[in-house]
Amino acid sequence: VQLVESGGGSVQAGGSLRLSCAASGYTYSTIYMAWFRQAPGKGLEWVSLINSGGISTYADSVKGRFTISQDNGKNTVYLQMNSLKPEDTAMYYCAARTGTCNRNLLLHQVTYDVWGQGTQVTVSS
């Protein structure tokens, strides 16, 4: 499986962006897709995830503002980001877990075995 993110950019606070993560290769083994982000000088932070059944969950910091979705026909996962804040500024990474895993570790980057190259999101005040 290979992942390619797109859709990042620069917006003002309160604006919106939609990130896309296109998967290619043997995608049938993918069970979980997640978005992580890394702000300048900080560690990688889990943002949201969705499973193959469409069940999603979010970090408290983005709940109510971000929405993760997937188009299985296009093998693409999206992250709709609304009401953006300057603290959302980060490099956003798409990640995939191929195969089963310990669900208690779904929020941890080590669980994910395929990563995209990242797309930059910058929110100005």
Side-chain angles (χ1 to χ4, degrees):
V1 178
Q2 297 82 42
L3 304 175
V4 178
E5 302 102 328
S6 60
S10 297
V11 295
Q12 290 191 327
S16 298
L17 284 172
R18 188 177 80 157
L19 306 183
S20 299
C21 174
S24 61
Y26 188 67
T27 61
Y28 297 101
S29 61
T30 300
I31 296 180
Y32 298 98
M33 295 289 292
W35 288 95
F36 287 79
R37 65 185 181 185
Q38 187 166 25
K42 296 188 176 181
L44 202 60
E45 175 192 19
W46 169 75
V47 175
S48 180
L49 70 89
I50 189 167
N51 70 8
S52 55
I55 297 174
S56 58
T57 187
Y58 302 90
D60 288 343
S61 58
V62 306
K63 198 172 294 183
R65 300 188 297 123
F66 290 12
T67 303
I68 191 171
S69 62
Q70 60 190 3
D71 184 333
N72 292 327
K74 295 182 179 180
N75 290 327
T76 301
V77 172
Y78 303 98
L79 186 67
Q80 178 67 44
M81 306 185 297
N82 298 328
S83 302
L84 283 161
K85 305 175 181 180
E87 51 263 44
D88 294 318
T89 294
M91 183 71 80
Y92 283 72
Y93 297 93
C94 176
R97 169 70 189 193
T98 58
T100 58
C101 65
N102 183 342
R103 289 191 293 176
N104 292 324
L105 299 178
L106 282 173
L107 307 189
H108 298 268
Q109 62 186 87
V110 296
T111 294
Y112 298 88
D113 46 4
V114 183
W115 290 80
Q117 83 289 350
T119 186
Q120 178 68 39
V121 171
T122 302
V123 185
S124 58
S125 57

